[in-house]
Amino acid sequence: MTRKTRQEPAPLLPELARGKLLTVEEAAERLNTTTRFPRRLIAERRITFIHVGRNVRIPEAALEAFIAAGVVEPITLTRRGEAA
């Protein structure tokens, strides 16, 4: 007779996945795009997402990180037109 071993607890969520979970529609609204763009990000694995049953949710922190990664700082020019 074999003894049943105790099942390991599920791993804790990564820090990026904590907090509010957004629907694809909510993420698209925040990005000011159609729902196709966040769905493409998910399909291409370019953004963190969570499956909740058949539903897909995007952590708010992951969306903010994605936006922050795309920020491009302006180039400031000096008097002679050289980049600073």
Side-chain angles (χ1 to χ4, degrees), residues 22-36:
L22 305 172
T23 64
V24 172
E25 291 77 17
E26 290 170 333
E29 187 176 318
R30 290 223 182 150
L31 293 169
N32 199 25
T33 64
T34 64
T35 58
R36 184 175 182 198

Side-chain angles (χ1 to χ4, degrees), residues 1-6:
M1 186 169 158
T2 57
R3 280 177 72 171
K4 290 186 178 183
T5 59
R6 186 174 173 187

Side-chain angles (χ1 to χ4, degrees), residues 33-72:
T33 64
T34 64
T35 58
R36 184 175 182 198
F37 182 63
R39 289 188 190 283
R40 191 179 67 181
L41 294 176
I42 291 166
E44 294 173 356
R45 304 294 199 263
R46 292 173 51 199
I47 194 166
T48 302
F49 64 96
I50 299 172
H51 273 234
V52 182
R54 293 180 59 190
N55 301 306
V56 175
R57 298 291 183 258
I58 300 171
E60 189 173 35
L63 188 61
E64 290 171 4
F66 176 79
I67 293 168
V71 172
V72 178

